[in-house]
């Protein structure tokens, strides 16, 4: 805690991560992308989206606000916009800058939804494996080793199995193994639908 009993544990952890990155990776450019408290366009389309999540505690909210000042101290520009999530900005930035032949994009996040953005070694996801000291980097090969699928199949995988963290239901009776097997065989959700009439086990 800081003076006045202000909680700063999250800020301390974030600062430690940034110092480690700056010392070891020395990035040429960086951006920090934030969620906003307002409802997103997903909530407008699906009222139950993230409905099971409890409100963020006040001690975390105050540190999220303060994090903007921390990023500013590191010379990192922050981006956010009502109606959109940080994931939307991550995807936009990845798509925009991966066309630069000299750029390698590293997405630092704990959200595995971003694995769908992996593109060879040009766009990779670095996720925290153990605290802030140990991370794992996902390129095409690493995504395949963990899920048995290509990055661009992760959207279809989530469509089939659902995403409990976002309160999105999957297809009844289809778990991770079945979803992986179906996508390996048919390539996509659309491929599964096309094959349904020819395979009694997939009858709809």
């Amino acid at each position: 805690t800081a003076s006045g009993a202000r909680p700063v544990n999250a800020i301390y952890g974030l600062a430690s991560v940034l110092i480690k990155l700056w010392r070891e990776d020395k990035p040429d450019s960086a951006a920090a992308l934030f969620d906003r408290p307002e409802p997103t366009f997903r909530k407008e389309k699906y009222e139950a989206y993230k409905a099971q999540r409890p409100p963020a505690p006040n001690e975390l909210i105050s540190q999220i606000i303060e994090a903007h000042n921390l990023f500013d101290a590191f010379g990192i520009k922050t981006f956010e916009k009502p109606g959109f999530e940080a994931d939307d900005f991550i995807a936009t930035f990845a798509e925009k800058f991966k066309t630069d032949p000299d750029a390698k994009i590293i997405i630092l996040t704990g959200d595995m939804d971003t694995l769908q953005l992996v593109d060879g070694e040009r766009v990779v996801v670095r996720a925290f494996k153990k605290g802030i000291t140990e991370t794992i980097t996902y390129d095409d090969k690493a995504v395949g080793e963990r899920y048995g699928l290509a990055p661009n199949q992760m959207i279809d995988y989530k469509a089939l199995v659902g995403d409990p963290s976002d309160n999105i239901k999957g297809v009844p009776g289809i778990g991770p193994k079945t979803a992986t097997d179906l996508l390996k065989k048919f390539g996509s959700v659309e491929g599964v639908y096309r094959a349904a009439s020819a395979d009694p086990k997939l009858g709809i």
Side-chain angles (χ1 to χ4, degrees):
T1 57
S3 59
R6 289 182 298 114
V8 291
N9 55 319
I11 291 292
Y12 179 84
L14 177 58
S16 298
V17 169
L18 292 176
I19 291 169
K20 179 179 172 63
L21 286 174
W22 257 234
R23 286 175 175 170
E24 297 179 2
D25 295 287
K26 300 178 176 62
D28 295 314
S29 303
L33 313 171
F34 281 83
D35 289 336
R36 291 281 307 174
E38 298 88 354
T40 67
F41 68 91
R42 293 176 179 84
K43 186 75 172 179
E44 294 175 359
K45 289 180 177 292
Y46 179 51
E47 182 63 28
Y49 180 64
K50 294 185 177 180
Q52 86 292 3
R53 293 193 184 183
N58 290 333
E59 57 267 25
L60 179 58
I61 293 175
S62 63
Q63 293 184 81
I64 291 174
I65 295 171
E66 184 60 32
H68 290 70
N69 296 327
L70 178 65
F71 282 117
D72 185 59
F74 273 82
I76 302 173
K77 187 171 177 59
T78 59
F79 294 85
E80 58 188 319
K81 185 176 182 180
F84 296 89
E85 297 183 37
D87 284 355
D88 300 313
F89 283 100
I90 292 172
T92 300
F93 277 46
E95 288 298 308
K96 177 178 176 60
F97 292 108
K98 75 178 184 181
T99 58
D100 183 342
D102 297 322
K104 177 177 181 178
I105 300 164
I106 301 174
I107 301 169
L108 180 67
T109 180
D111 190 344
M112 292 296 95
D113 287 348
T114 56
L115 293 181
Q116 63 189 273
L117 301 174
V118 170
D119 187 354
E121 295 185 355
R122 181 175 294 278
V123 181
V124 300
V125 170
R126 182 180 295 178
F128 296 105
K129 187 176 181 180
K130 186 177 181 181
I132 62 170
T133 59
E134 189 175 342
T135 60
I136 179 171
T137 299
Y138 288 95
D139 55 11
D140 280 1
K141 181 180 178 182
V143 173
E145 288 175 348
R146 175 166 177 177
Y147 292 95
L149 300 169
N152 62 6
Q153 291 178 301
M154 295 307 298
I155 299 174
D156 300 89
Y157 176 82
K158 285 295 184 76
L160 292 172
V161 302
D163 190 345
S165 67
D166 288 340
N167 201 35
I168 296 175
K169 300 184 184 303
V171 178
I174 294 184
K177 184 179 186 307
T178 301
T180 300
D181 291 343
L182 288 171
L183 293 174
K184 282 182 175 179
K185 186 174 182 180
F186 301 111
S188 65
V189 170
E190 290 80 6
V192 174
Y193 268 92
R194 285 194 296 268
S197 59
D199 189 337
K201 292 182 181 179
L202 298 175
I204 299 175

